[in-house]
Amino acid sequence: MFDHLPTKRRNILRALVAGALTAFVAPFAYAIGKFLSFQGTIGGSNTAKLSAADLTPDSPSKLVEIEGEPVIVVREADNSIRAFTATCTHLGCIVSYRPQMPGFYCKCHGGKYDVNGINVPGTRPPSPLTELVVNEQADDLTVSLTPKAKSLS
Amino acid sequence: MTLIDHLHLREPVEALKAKVVPRHGTSMWYYLGGLALFFFLVQIVTGLLLLFYYQPTPEAAHKSVEWITTKVPFGAVIRSVHSWSSNALIAVVLIHMFSTFFMRSYRSPRAILWVTGIILFVLILGFGFTGYLLPWDLTAYFATRIGTEVPKAVPVFGSWIVSMLRGSNAVTGATLSRLFALHVGVLPLFAFVFVTAHVIMTALFGSAIPIGRSAKAETRFIPQYILGEAVLWLIGLAVLLAVAVLFPWQLGPAYDLTKPVEPPAGVHPEWYFMFLYQTLKYIPEWAAVTFYTIVLIFWAVVPWLDRKARREQKSLLFRWIGILAIAGMAGLTTLAYISVAQEQGTAALEQTTTAHGSTDTTQPK
Ligand code: FES
């Protein structure tokens, strides 16, 4: 467009145009990036409620969903009720509770975790399951995706 | 060899560089076609973005739109821009259509160009109609109930058309799926083809000079005309953003299929369908459908009917036809809005006289 101008002025003008175009496009690119990178599920609940009475010695564990995440709630041998993320840290399968192990087992590639959700060395999972906060009000349990602080576990 | 040579595009590129646009007393109207293209592009971009979050089921549709406008960053603006821009698009297309009509731009060799324009006009109204239901709010639901009932009056094929649109006896989730498929799949495909044809033909044939005028001068297409159009696009964008932010497009209460309620008082379609809505009050559906079908076909074949224009003469008859068309649409639209206002007025009155604490049936919980 600026072919008729001397080289120096032409370069300055071209740089100005390029700068202006970038400044114009940048906010739109930012907004679209923000819009598309949002995470969340519509109508997803951020807690799961269940009754402690449902966790019996015969079926000591239950899978619940929080914001699309599977969470496993277990009554362990010492009668304590604990909740862990049920997503296997290996490749994302859903783990199950095995009282006889005792601990968590992943069918997909034979991954194992102990009762504290710590991955058993020698099996595939590279890291432990995250323990979550369980709120006990008599028999009513409320689980959220809040990790239980390390010091407490 | 440059990429252009590889693609064998040297000739068209040179032609585009050499292209000039005639300049005369009414040549500013040429820019409206480009502005329509701008709003069309805005619709594609914002529409694609909304598709990332929208969920086309009766249970989730309203929630997902609410989710977009309340939770997703910039979602409120994007949705508002999509709605406002659709209205702007229809308005600009209407003005563009009538301005080219009065300039008799449909003269040979542009007859087919005019026809593609009419097809695009119908497609754009189709976008408006199918998109209207998608938020699944009260007004959208009732407007679609009525809107999908009208084609029943089409001779012979009536009930078939209705069942094709609805996919079930009434307006249900099946209807939502169908209108959604039309809105984001079928119509865009056709619109893309016809917009491309329309733009390419305009580039090939150039802009028509109105009868009796001669080009005083010429504007080079590149860069002058393009820059002028760019200025208009930027103004369009600025106005669109300002309006979308200052007047966010509203979302009414959700319609729950399992709990039927009365329509809100003065339920009516969007402004661009108001002339049709008003017509239906005066004549039976079949008459209205037949009448507007004939009008549309007539409008599409105007290039062949206006024989005077083919001899480069101004036809007084066609000028009056154009004026009549605008006056008719404007008149019917005005009447429609007056009656809607009256209905809302009486409804408000009923509300105050009957109810102390009685529940408003139009606001389902
Ligand atoms: S995904 Fe669980 S062990 Fe591989």
Side-chain angles (χ1 to χ4, degrees), chain A residues 86-95 105-113 123-126:
Chain A
T87 306
C88 179
T89 57
H90 176 223
L91 290 176
C93 266
I94 296 180
V95 301
Y105 180 70
C106 178
K107 284 179 187 165
C108 293
H109 313 96
K112 285 180 183 168
Y113 306 82
T123 68
R124 311 298 287 272

Side-chain angles (χ1 to χ4, degrees), chain A:
Chain A
M1 202 184 331
F2 307 120
D3 290 340
H4 57 286
L5 296 172
T7 322
K8 203 172 164 200
R9 295 180 67 186
R10 186 166 66 204
N11 287 342
I12 293 174
L13 274 172
R14 284 197 173 143
L16 277 176
V17 169
L21 279 179
T22 318
F24 176 73
V25 170
F28 291 97
Y30 172 78
I32 291 175
K34 273 282 184 196
F35 179 84
L36 289 179
S37 54
F38 182 74
Q39 306 284 304
T41 25
I42 297 170
S45 159
N46 52 7
T47 55
K49 292 189 193 310
L50 67 164
S51 161
D54 290 346
L55 302 170
T56 59
D58 282 343
S59 80
S61 73
K62 233 180 134 79
L63 276 171
V64 292
E65 178 258 2
I66 307 172
E67 289 179 49
E69 280 287 322
V71 167
I72 191 159
V73 189
V74 292
R75 183 190 289 277
E76 291 192 346
D78 60 358
N79 230 355
S80 66
I81 289 176
R82 300 169 77 179
F84 296 87
T85 52
T87 306
C88 179
T89 57
H90 176 223
L91 290 176
C93 266
I94 296 180
V95 301
S96 49
Y97 183 63
R98 295 277 166 97
Q100 63 275 27
M101 236 166 65
F104 299 90
Y105 180 70
C106 178
K107 284 179 187 165
C108 293
H109 313 96
K112 285 180 183 168
Y113 306 82
D114 67 13
V115 285
N116 295 313
I118 310 294
N119 48 313
V120 175
T123 68
R124 311 298 287 272
S127 53
L129 302 172
T130 312
E131 181 161 12
L132 305 174
V133 172
V134 181
N135 228 314
E136 289 192 57
Q137 293 274 325
D139 241 11
D140 296 329
L141 309 176
T142 309
V143 192
S144 66
L145 280 186
T146 328
K148 195 162 173 178
K150 284 268 145 57
S151 54
L152 294 173
S153 59

